[in-house]
Amino acid sequence: METQEKFLSFNLGVTDTAVISLRHIAEVLQVSLPEICGVPQMPSSVLGIYNWRGEMLWLVDLEAMLGYPPISPGSNLVSKMMAIILENKGKYLGLLVRQIIDIEWLDAKEMKATNTELFYPKISPFLEGYFINDSEEIIFNLDATTIIQSSAWGIHN
């Protein structure tokens, strides 16, 4: 049985790497922060709404959501960010990340089960598991469906 799957890898924070399965990714695009309309009364990780293909797309600061320091819109470094558009059953959500690394093949059989002691409490609910790469580094495998269905924005989409 074929257990290889394609994943999009990207940076989380300064040192970490995460992946999301390509089957949940509708598109990856560059977003400039001034084009995002902020929405009051939302969690700080929700940056606001973005016009995507004529639709209103919620954009989330993935790092802030997972317990990393938030993207600070003031810094020029991040005036342009990459948005990973997730799709699940007709619902879309944009995750803003600093940098996309690559598309890679990973073997689902090599994925390790999450251990809540290992990870920040904020990241654990969104993990499908993790991989260990050749350099012995942990690569978080984020669960796109759980992220899209998160109660933080579920009421809004």
Side-chain angles (χ1 to χ4, degrees):
M1 173 160 158
E2 185 55 68
T3 55
Q4 289 274 327
E5 197 178 325
K6 274 184 172 174
F7 289 86
L8 181 71
S9 60
F10 52 92
N11 294 105
L12 267 189
V14 182
T15 53
D16 295 340
T17 303
V19 292
I20 293 180
S21 167
L22 275 192
R23 64 189 164 169
H24 292 297
I25 297 176
E27 191 178 335
V28 174
L29 65 153
Q30 197 174 45
V31 169
S32 95
L33 290 187
E35 292 172 10
I36 301 171
C37 295
V39 178
Q41 314 294 319
M42 288 299 284
S44 57
S45 59
V46 176
L47 295 173
I49 293 175
Y50 180 76
N51 181 348
W52 174 65
R53 299 182 182 173
E55 300 277 325
M56 295 316 242
L57 178 73
W58 287 95
L59 286 180
V60 174
D61 176 345
L62 183 62
E63 293 187 6
M65 179 184 122
L66 299 177
Y68 292 84
I71 296 166
S72 59
S75 97
N76 291 335
L77 289 173
V78 294
S79 63
K80 289 221 182 295
M81 303 274 306
M82 297 309 293
I84 301 170
I85 316 292
L86 301 181
E87 187 273 332
N88 182 51
K89 299 186 178 127
K91 291 210 185 298
Y92 293 89
L93 182 72
L95 304 180
L96 284 190
V97 299
R98 288 165 206 266
Q99 201 179 357
I100 303 285
I101 303 171
D102 204 358
I103 289 177
E104 39 196 299
W105 287 95
L106 292 169
D107 189 336
K109 284 194 304 219
E110 292 175 13
M111 184 169 73
K112 316 252 187 286
T114 43
N115 166 345
T116 42
E117 273 86 83
L118 269 180
F119 305 112
Y120 309 124
K122 271 187 143 171
I123 201 171
S124 297
F126 300 109
L127 282 179
E128 208 169 305
Y130 65 96
F131 295 96
I132 306 283
N133 69 9
D134 300 339
S135 330
E136 300 291 304
E137 297 157 333
I138 287 180
I139 297 177
F140 299 114
N141 180 15
L142 298 177
D143 184 337
T145 310
T146 308
I147 293 173
I148 292 174
Q149 292 169 348
S150 164
S151 57
W153 33 82
I155 49 175
H156 297 281
N157 64 17

